Structure formats: structure tokens, C-alpha cells
Amino acid sequence: MFSLEAEPCPPHLNLHNQDLSRDEFAAMPGPANKKQKREQYKNARQGGSTTELPKKKFYRQRAHANVFSDHDLVYPISPAYMDWATYYPAYAEPEVADSIESTTSQTQDISLKAVETQDGSDGNGATSSEAIPMKAKDMRKLKQDVEVADIGCGFGGLLVALAPKLPNTLMLGMEIRTQVTEYVHERINALRLQNSKEGLYQNAACLRANSMKFLPNFFKKDQLSKIFLCFPDPHFKARKHKARIVSTTLNSEYAYAVRPGGIVYTITDVEDLHLWMVEHFEKHPSFARVSEEEQEADECVEVMRMETEEGQKVTRNNGQKFVALFRRLEDPPW
Amino acid sequence: MPYQCIDKRRNLLIAARDSSIDLINLENGSYLSTWTCPWPEKPQISKPEIEQPSKLLATQESQSSSVDIVIDSKSPPAKRRKLSSGEADKDLIKEVEPETQGTSTAKVTKNGNEKNQKKQKQNNRSVAIAIGLEAPAIIALAVTVNNKHVVAVTGEDKCIRVFEIVDEADVSKLHQVSERIMPKRPSSIAITPDSATILSADKFGDVYSLPLIPSLDQDAQSATPIAERPFKPSANEKTIHSQRNRIALENQKRHHNSAPKNQLPTFEHTLLLGHVSLLIDLKLATLEGKTYIITSDRDEHIRISRGIPQAHVIESFCLGHREFVSRLCIPTTRPGILVSGGGDDEIYVWKWKNAELLCKADLKTHVNEIVSESAKEKKIAVSGIYHTNHEGVDFVLVTVEAIPGIFVFKLIDTTLTHVQNIFLRGNALGVVTTPSRVITSIDTIHTPASTIELRSSDKPDSSFVTFKFTNGVLEEDSDFKIAGVKDSEIVDADSVENKRMKNLLYSIENLRKRVGEIDGGEAEDG
């Protein structure tokens, strides 16, 4: 659905069409009210320290985000500056690391753009302000690296289902919509508290990012073993194809982040997009498609089919699901 | 008109001003010849384009559309913005609904109107392109390693032009051998060391390779039209849809018989790599016998990819910049070193193969030494980084957009140290280095440190200033004069001409991200 917050009535409507503009204004109290309710709800959640799972209806945001625009994103200058410990506190080294493997001066801000969100309702407040420390020297190192990335994780169904199945693997959901990111963040926090005895869900986290632009800011070369691309935005129009998550040129970036032998998982309900993804990955010299038997034997495939929010929606709708897996090949010598 | 970009070939200075390229003898500074870009064909060429879709329309409508053209051509050039059919529809529904209620007739009118409106937009655009400018301006130059060819990019028509340097009766001339229109406007070009391939980085973030001399066979082959496939929408009703996707799908179904709009280039070209960002600079490097492609973008990245044919393999990213990276420089004497600059206050020095940052050299302080008090707060944007070697010492020369100076650094081992500031009479535009001299082109139209304010020019200034090394320091070489060709002057600071000049000479600072800007584009993302 459209999110109407902070979108003033377009001035041209005001000028040219009185009737329409009146209609527009009549509709205005709606969104304002919605905003208020969201704020109330989020304040009542005690900043995420509750075991109650968040309600999706307070976090809905329209399905598309322009991947080419700048937004007000917060991202590390480079992977060495990424403070993972705030996302995976259970996996952090006990003491503060005294050196960072980088030649850059340590006293500078590590986040490139520590911009405050200009709109409370846009609220990644909870996620960004607590999660991004200002100084590199305040960072604690992790005992292990993040190995699984769910790009465009949406409401986090895959993460939540996969976390207990791969309990010793750190996984990260990346989502461009602030509200949705916040939801996943709250969801994981609640699950961590609910399962604090077993220590489950400590290996899953979510952050707001534009992965098409900034993947190399988060991950070193060969860091990942799995990337999930689940039900990506199909971008039906031909002139929007550059915004698709799979393209010849972007596949090179996935190849950079995924180590040889690692797998890129794709699933979609749009056959055209499936064929597009298969075509572009098969054409890319760094990837080869995984055989059907091997694909069906992979436990992540079933999770991807049944546990993602979109996957469930498609099932309810009796839609089709198209799965394809691609293995990262060794680079030829240069 | 000042020279916006300059390059050299042995004893030739190749200097582009607006839409022409002058050749100047570097030994004695004498003017040789000029190549001028032909003006684009007149607006009439847009007519056949219009006529094609109008076959579908009633005669009345095509008449009304031709009236539209007239009106359009009087109006100022429109902002080039693609309107999605969705938006057009919305407007139409508003227009049509109050007028007619009979469903069938309303449909007809609507469809007719829609096409009409679309055509109008198309007209608007093509007319705007045709009347908004005279001839496309040259935005990038490159010379092949074997010194035989010059490659130039003209901006407005996104065209890559290849010239042969011909010597006719001791006068060198440029003879255009090919012109190729790229899918997006190239922002930087490079030529492979074997002088056979052009690499072009564009505003869409893609890098294409194309042969320097297009082979005729390939042209003929790819020119054959691709067999039209029957239209099938990408999605079906069972596909999960957002409201917008549903609208898009409906549109697809409705327009299923319309011909594909985007014509792909018919010449041989290969997509090598791409960023989801705007590419600003592209350099080729050779290290230990292997070639690499280095690209820099608006999102602070410097990417190191392997050369052809393994350009899909990313070796590393040099990450550390906090603003766009506008210029890259690999000193010829130190092929493992990369000097980069952009919207940051510092110049960065990298060991690029391992993405290792070696040092940062402050630039802003030195810029502040030569600007007035009021301009000290202003952000800086690096417009050029050049290398020259004098008596075994590596010098790095840096120019900053709209700043009348050259900032000279010494590269010793892995550190960059400031040596001197050179003051110029006008804003630095381009720099060319020869073993003995440094030649710079300056803005002779605007007052120093301004991009808008015009000079009250009683005596015309020379477009070039030359320097030579004296005791390890660059000093003006007043004995060496280059014949700059004087051209028409701009009279009005607010004139279209001056605005165009500003866009041509000073476009880098515009790349800076604006902090706190509303998540733009999301609203218009159709």
C-alpha cells in the first residue's frame, strides 16, 4: 500500500482542481492518524525490550523503494568499520578490540552518514541510532563473521525460520524500507528474549541497507557462503530492469562477496523474472546452476519455499514458485 | 570560449572548447586546425518519428498534434523527464471522466487522447533537444597509445567520435572516422594499451567496450532487425501483486502491440561491468603484465576489476572516501599507486591492487590559502589529478572545480606532500604535462573562483597558461605563448548560454549528495 506520511498535497492539485484538492484534504486525517497510532504502538513496546512479537500492521510500507536514490542511508565506510557486535551481542569478543585493521585514523566517525532521520514516522531511529557507534575504537570484534545474507529480507520470515536451523551461522537480513527493517529488528529482539534460555536467534539480525549499492561496504571479499534473493521486486517494465536485483553487472558483486563454493538462492512467483535470473546467472562466468537433485536436497530450499512471508502468500493464492540455485565457481587465474 | 578539456599527442595539443576541437603545435604554440562538430539536424527529423504512431490515429488528431508541435517549439525547452504511462493515465482519467459518461465512447476518447498526449511528450522532448542547444559539446577526450587516433565524447547526443590524425602539408588535422551513439551519456573514456578498444563509463553506471574502428561485418549483422516476439505479459493474475504492480501489468496488457521504444545500438559493444551508481572516472592500469579496470562512482566507491576478457571479476574495492570520487590518477612511473580525489577535503593515495590506503593529503587547507574569506566554508570538488615526473621526482598536480589554482604535491615513496600553490588568472579547467612544461587551460569568461559572475573583459585573456620547472618549483613560462582562439563573448550572466557554459565547465559539485533531502524518487518511482 501507499505510505502517505510526509507527503504534502501536491501544489498543482491545489491550483487547478478545487474539487480534487478538497478530496485530497478530506483524506488527509487518515494518514496523520495512522502515524499517531504507530508512534503510540512503538512507544508502548518499550524500545524493543518486550517478548511480545511486533504487529505487522504498524510497520507496513509500500512495496517499492527506489534503489537509485540516495535516501538517508547509514553504512560503514568499509567492512573493517562495521560494528557487528551491536547486532550480534552474544557473539562479540568480551573486550574492546584495541586495533582496527585499517590504516585510516581511528578517531574519525565510522559511519559515513550519521544522519538523523528527518521524520519520526520514517523511524529507523531505533535501529540506526543504537546500532551505529560513532567511533571505530568503541567497536568490539565478533568471534566469527556473518556468512549468510538475505537481500531484501522483507518481514524476516526466512531469517526467523533459518536461524534455529543453522544455529552456529551468523545471518543478516538487509532491507531498504525503514519500517520493515524496524519490524524485523523488533521481531528478532522479541524472539531472543522469548528464547533466552536456549540462546536461540542470537545469530540473526537485520539492518537497513541498499544492497545494490553498498554490499561491498558490509562484506569483505569471499566472506559469505549463502546469499538469498527471495521474491524480489519483479520490475515488470523494461525500463526498470536495471533496478532488478539480478543483472549481469550486479552478479559480479555477488561473486565478490560469496566465496567459491558458496550458493546464491533465488525464488520468485514470476516466471519471467525466474527466467531472467537464470539467464543472467548462467551467463555470468562466476556462477553455475545447481542441479535439481542437489537443489531439492538443500534444507534451505524448503524453508525458502514455505517460510518466507511472500512464499506463504503465494501458497494461499495457489501461485507458482520458481526456485533456482547457483554455485560460485573459482575464478580462473589472472 | 574557454577550453573545457585538453589532451596531448606527442607534439600536438588537442584542446576542446564547446563543440570544436583545436589542434595546436606544442613545440612553438602555433595554431594548426579546428574540427567543429556538425550541428544536429533540424527539428524536422523528429517528424517521421511522430508520423509512425499517428497512423493509428484519426486524421483530425494528427492535425491537432502538429499544432502542438508549433506551440511546443515556442515554449522553453522542457525538462527531460520520462512520464510513466501510469501517471499519464491518472491525468487522463481526471480529464475524461467528467466529460463523458457513455462507457464505449469514453474509452475511445481516452485511448485516442492518451496516444495524443504521449506523442506530445515525445515531441516536446525531441524539439527541446533540437532547439535547446546548438551543437553538442565535447565532454571527454582521449588519445590512443599509438598516437594515431583521438577519441572524443560529445555530451548532449551521447556520441563517441573517433578521429584519425592526418598530416596534410605539415598541418595536422582531425578527420572523423566514426560516430557511435551510446545508450547512456558517457562520463569517462579510456583506450586499451593496444590502441584497439575504447572503454566507456556512463551515467547509468555501466562500462562498455567497443572496438576503436568498428568492423563493418558486425554492423551489418546486428543491424538486421530482431524478429518480433508475440507479446506476453511477465506476470499473471496469480502472481502476488502490489497495487502498482497490478497497474503496471494492466498497462502492459493494454500496450501489448506497441513497438519496443528503446533501440539498442547496432554497432558492436560489450557490457563489461557496472555499478548501481553514476560512474565519474575510469582508468586502465597494467601491473605485472596484467590489465585492470579502475572505476569510481558517486557512492564513494573505487572498484578494481580485471581487464578484458575477465572484467566480470572484481579484485577489490578501495573504500575510504566519504564523498563522490571524481578523479583517478595512476602515475606512469608508479603503476601500483592510485591517487584519487573527489568531494572530500583530502586526496587519497592507494596501493590499489590490495585496496590499501597509503596516505591522505590535505587539500582543503591549500584551497583556502588562495580563496577569499567568504569562500572558505565552501566544499571542494576535485576536477583533475595529473602526474608529471621532473628529474626523477614524481609530482601530482590537482585542480579543483571553480578554483583559480593548481595544487602541486610531491609523491615520495608512499606519501604525498604539498609543495606549492600556483595562482591562475582564471579557474583551472584542464592540464596537460610535457616533459618540460605544464600547460593549463583557464576559464577566461568568469571571474576567478566564480562559476556565474562574468568578467568585464576589456582585454581578452589567453586561454592557456604555461609553467616550467625552475629549481624544482613550477614557474610561469612567459616566453611560451599558445595562440588561443578568441570567440564570441557571453554578455548576460543570466543568459541561457551562460547557464549552459556553467553546466559544461562546472558539473562535478552537482554530484554531491544533499544531506537531509527527502527520500527523493520514491514518489516518482512508477
Side-chain angles (χ1 to χ4, degrees):
Chain A
M1 270 310 292
F2 290 74
S3 80
L4 286 170
E5 301 104 310
E7 271 183 17
C9 178
H12 69 269
L13 286 177
N14 238 336
L15 281 171
H16 300 302
N17 200 325
Q18 288 299 319
D19 289 344
L20 258 173
S21 72
R22 221 174 290 136
D23 283 354
E24 289 280 318
F25 279 121
M28 283 309 275
N33 206 5
K34 184 173 128 196
K35 188 174 157 183
Q36 211 177 7
K37 275 191 182 153
R38 284 189 172 197
E39 259 167 39
Q40 277 170 5
Y41 176 78
K42 283 169 195 175
N43 290 338
R45 286 187 57 78
Q46 307 147 15
S49 57
T50 167
T51 54
E52 192 193 320
L53 287 172
K55 288 197 175 85
K56 255 187 216 170
K57 66 170 180 180
F58 295 109
Y59 298 89
R60 293 225 183 263
Q61 208 176 340
R62 48 176 273 233
H64 309 274
N66 184 351
V67 291
F68 302 121
S69 86
D70 294 337
H71 303 284
D72 272 335
L73 290 168
V74 181
Y75 48 90
I77 292 176
S78 74
Y81 284 85
M82 182 63 203
D83 183 34
W84 292 111
T86 46
Y87 290 92
Y88 305 96
Y91 288 83
E93 295 277 10
E95 78 279 8
V96 169
D98 34 34
S99 72
I100 297 285
E101 330 128 7
S102 171
T103 50
T104 356
S105 111
Q106 286 179 21
T107 45
Q108 56 188 276
D109 297 358
I110 68 143
S111 62
L112 199 62
K113 291 255 167 71
V115 191
E116 283 190 26
T117 41
Q118 77 276 16
D119 182 353
S121 75
D122 227 63
N124 60 350
T127 351
S128 71
S129 61
E130 93 183 32
I132 305 284
M134 298 309 290
K135 308 280 183 214
K137 61 174 191 242
D138 296 340
M139 278 170 30
R140 286 192 296 160
K141 278 189 173 176
L142 283 190
K143 290 174 192 154
Q144 61 188 87
D145 280 340
V146 175
E147 269 189 50
V148 175
D150 182 3
I151 295 177
C153 68
F155 287 91
L158 181 90
L159 282 177
V160 165
L162 216 54
K165 286 207 159 72
L166 304 168
N168 300 315
T169 310
L170 296 191
M171 49 189 72
L172 180 74
M174 304 173 94
E175 172 59 50
I176 197 168
R177 293 167 291 165
T178 46
Q179 297 280 314
V180 181
T181 315
E182 200 186 332
Y183 171 84
V184 181
H185 187 73
E186 294 276 306
R187 185 177 180 182
I188 291 171
N189 270 351
L191 285 169
R192 281 180 181 175
L193 286 171
Q194 280 177 17
N195 298 278
S196 53
K197 274 189 203 135
E198 301 90 339
L200 289 176
Y201 300 102
Q202 293 292 343
N203 59 331
C206 174
L207 52 78
R208 184 188 185 210
N210 181 346
S211 315
M212 288 173 70
K213 277 177 184 273
F214 299 112
L215 205 63
N217 291 58
F218 290 96
F219 304 119
K220 295 172 283 193
K221 191 175 190 177
D222 298 343
Q223 182 176 338
L224 301 177
S225 59
K226 293 178 201 305
I227 285 183
F228 288 91
L229 304 169
C230 300
F231 299 97
D233 194 333
H235 288 291
F236 291 119
K237 290 179 197 157
R239 80 176 169 86
K240 290 270 173 195
H241 283 177
K242 172 103 181 173
R244 283 182 169 173
I245 195 82
V246 169
S247 65
T248 318
T249 55
L250 264 176
N251 289 356
S252 295
E253 289 201 31
Y254 303 138
Y256 171 81
V258 175
R259 66 181 72 130
I263 308 265
V264 175
Y265 295 76
T266 69
I267 184 167
T268 175
D269 58 325
V270 182
E271 191 175 10
D272 235 35
L273 181 66
H274 168 71
L275 296 173
W276 167 282
M277 294 197 289
V278 170
E279 182 198 333
H280 284 80
F281 269 112
E282 283 187 333
K283 226 166 42 182
H284 199 284
S286 299
F287 290 98
R289 188 155 181 195
V290 171
S291 71
E292 185 123 9
E293 302 97 73
E294 215 181 315
Q295 173 184 312
E296 294 312 312
D298 193 319
E299 60 170 342
C300 300
V301 170
E302 201 47 30
V303 177
M304 185 165 76
R305 269 205 191 104
M306 303 318 295
E307 304 286 348
T308 53
E309 262 82 4
E310 289 292 303
Q312 288 167 356
K313 229 195 273 181
V314 177
T315 311
R316 283 199 298 273
N317 222 13
N318 293 323
Q320 304 152 278
K321 289 178 210 172
F322 303 92
V323 175
L325 272 53
F326 307 92
R327 175 166 291 115
R328 167 78 161 94
L329 304 173
E330 287 279 355
D331 285 329
W334 185 238
Chain B
M1 259 204 213
Y3 292 92
Q4 68 264 26
C5 43
I6 56 178
D7 206 334
K8 61 147 192 183
R9 173 253 192 186
R10 280 194 201 128
N11 58 344
L12 272 187
L13 175 67
I14 298 144
R17 64 188 158 100
D18 200 4
S19 53
S20 34
I21 304 173
D22 291 344
L23 293 189
I24 291 155
N25 188 328
L26 263 182
E27 273 156 17
N28 55 18
S30 64
Y31 163 85
L32 297 172
S33 66
T34 298
W35 174 86
T36 304
C37 184
W39 287 29
E41 286 147 80
K42 290 291 155 203
Q44 278 86 324
I45 51 136
S46 61
K47 270 195 175 160
E49 273 177 38
I50 300 158
E51 239 106 69
Q52 261 179 341
S54 71
K55 275 176 198 160
L56 300 162
L57 297 172
T59 26
Q60 226 177 4
E61 274 162 347
S62 53
Q63 269 168 11
S64 71
S65 76
S66 62
V67 172
D68 287 342
I69 297 169
V70 178
I71 295 164
D72 286 341
S73 62
K74 276 178 194 160
S75 61
K79 190 184 165 203
R80 279 200 254 161
R81 178 167 170 263
K82 274 187 189 169
L83 273 173
S84 73
S85 45
E87 274 173 89
D89 281 356
K90 264 183 247 160
D91 294 346
L92 277 161
I93 291 161
K94 278 174 218 151
E95 273 176 29
V96 171
E97 271 176 4
E99 285 169 19
T100 33
Q101 303 222 312
T103 44
S104 62
T105 43
K107 266 240 165 85
V108 173
T109 337
K110 194 182 150 192
N111 279 339
N113 253 345
E114 194 178 316
K115 272 168 199 149
N116 200 1
Q117 194 155 355
K118 277 222 167 139
K119 255 170 9 106
Q120 204 177 315
K121 257 153 219 158
Q122 213 175 27
N123 293 348
N124 232 334
R125 261 182 82 187
S126 47
V127 171
I129 294 163
I131 63 161
L133 38 105
E134 295 112 14
I138 287 142
I139 53 169
L141 280 177
V143 184
T144 58
V145 177
N146 66 12
N147 291 315
K148 284 183 179 150
H149 292 91
V150 172
V151 182
V153 176
T154 42
E156 289 89 343
D157 59 355
K158 305 180 281 189
C159 186
I160 293 184
R161 296 164 191 272
V162 178
F163 302 91
E164 198 181 339
I165 305 173
V166 239
D167 293 308
E168 280 172 19
D170 292 342
V171 175
S172 298
K173 277 184 181 158
L174 288 183
H175 169 66
Q176 182 174 316
V177 283
S178 75
E179 52 176 66
R180 281 166 277 184
I181 310 271
M182 298 302 289
K184 297 283 165 189
R185 182 195 276 217
S187 45
S188 180
I189 47 169
I191 301 164
T192 53
D194 60 1
S195 299
T197 311
I198 305 168
L199 300 192
S200 156
D202 69 29
K203 301 255 161 190
F204 217 42
D206 293 326
V207 176
Y208 289 94
S209 74
L210 42 164
L212 183 76
I213 308 298
S215 69
L216 291 167
D217 290 354
Q218 224 101 22
D219 273 5
Q221 254 178 29
S222 49
T224 49
I226 312 143
E228 260 184 59
R229 276 188 299 170
F231 176 82
K232 189 173 143 270
S234 323
N236 54 38
E237 270 64 39
K238 281 186 180 162
T239 315
I240 292 295
H241 282 304
S242 70
Q243 206 153 349
R244 280 165 165 260
N245 275 350
R246 239 176 233 133
I247 293 168
L249 178 62
E250 275 160 31
N251 281 335
Q252 279 193 337
K253 284 182 175 164
R254 223 178 312 144
H255 298 299
H256 66 275
N257 48 6
S258 67
K261 285 144 270 169
N262 280 347
Q263 272 204 321
L264 284 170
T266 49
F267 52 85
E268 184 191 343
H269 69 297
T270 319
L271 179 62
L272 292 183
L273 58 104
H275 299 217
V276 180
S277 183
L278 192 155
L279 284 176
I280 320 175
D281 205 1
L282 161 78
K283 285 282 181 300
L284 288 171
T286 308
L287 198 64
E288 290 147 12
K290 290 152 193 158
T291 59
Y292 297 88
I293 303 166
I294 306 182
T295 40
S296 77
D297 71 23
R298 187 173 164 261
D299 290 297
E300 309 97 25
H301 295 128
I302 300 171
R303 185 193 286 193
I304 319 288
S305 310
R306 291 183 182 175
I308 303 170
Q310 285 188 35
H312 63 275
V313 179
I314 300 173
E315 286 287 332
S316 57
F317 285 90
C318 296
L319 301 176
H321 278 282
R322 285 138 189 279
E323 294 286 348
F324 59 85
V325 187
S326 50
R327 288 297 178 262
L328 305 171
C329 173
I330 299 159
T332 44
T333 50
R334 305 280 300 277
I337 298 286
L338 172 72
V339 185
S340 65
D344 291 301
D345 289 349
E346 297 100 11
I347 299 292
Y348 289 56
V349 182
W350 309 86
K351 196 173 173 183
W352 55 266
K353 182 74 198 299
N354 331 352
E356 187 189 329
L357 180 62
L358 298 173
C359 95
K360 288 202 245 179
D362 185 38
L363 177 65
K364 176 76 172 136
T365 318
H366 304 299
V367 173
N368 280 356
E369 284 161 15
I370 70 162
V371 296
S372 65
E373 203 58 44
S374 59
K376 290 201 187 333
E377 292 298 301
K378 245 178 90 186
K379 299 225 161 114
I380 56 168
V382 171
S383 61
I385 304 178
Y386 311 88
H387 164 255
T388 188
N389 186 292
H390 181 69
E391 291 172 349
V393 183
D394 287 307
F395 289 89
V396 172
L397 314 176
V398 179
T399 60
V400 177
E401 191 165 85
I403 296 293
I406 302 176
F407 305 91
V408 185
F409 295 84
K410 241 184 224 176
L411 177 67
I412 300 164
D413 197 22
T414 58
T415 44
L416 206 57
T417 18
H418 180 254
V419 182
Q420 69 174 122
N421 293 337
I422 299 176
F423 300 85
L424 297 171
R425 290 186 291 272
N427 298 333
L429 295 176
V431 171
V432 151
T433 59
T434 70
S436 55
R437 294 192 179 94
V438 169
I439 299 155
T440 172
S441 70
I442 59 168
D443 184 348
T444 51
I445 289 183
H446 300 99
T447 55
S450 172
T451 59
I452 314 156
E453 214 177 302
L454 297 171
R455 294 184 186 200
S456 51
S457 59
D458 295 330
K459 56 177 179 105
D461 207 346
S462 167
S463 300
F464 294 102
V465 190
T466 312
F467 299 89
K468 66 176 179 203
F469 280 101
T470 321
N471 305 322
V473 184
L474 280 167
E475 277 177 12
E476 190 165 344
D477 180 2
S478 41
D479 300 336
F480 186 81
K481 284 263 182 270
I482 285 177
V485 186
K486 219 182 140 313
D487 208 280
S488 61
E489 296 290 330
I490 298 169
V491 269
D492 184 4
D494 294 325
S495 66
V496 179
E497 185 60 10
N498 190 29
K499 278 183 190 130
R500 182 172 172 248
M501 188 92 295
K502 181 186 180 288
N503 287 338
L504 178 59
L505 301 179
Y506 308 108
S507 58
I508 300 171
E509 180 57 40
N510 293 341
L511 298 168
R512 194 180 300 275
K513 293 177 185 174
R514 285 158 184 84
V515 176
E517 196 171 66
I518 298 169
D519 280 8
E522 247 179 278
E524 60 189 70
D525 183 30

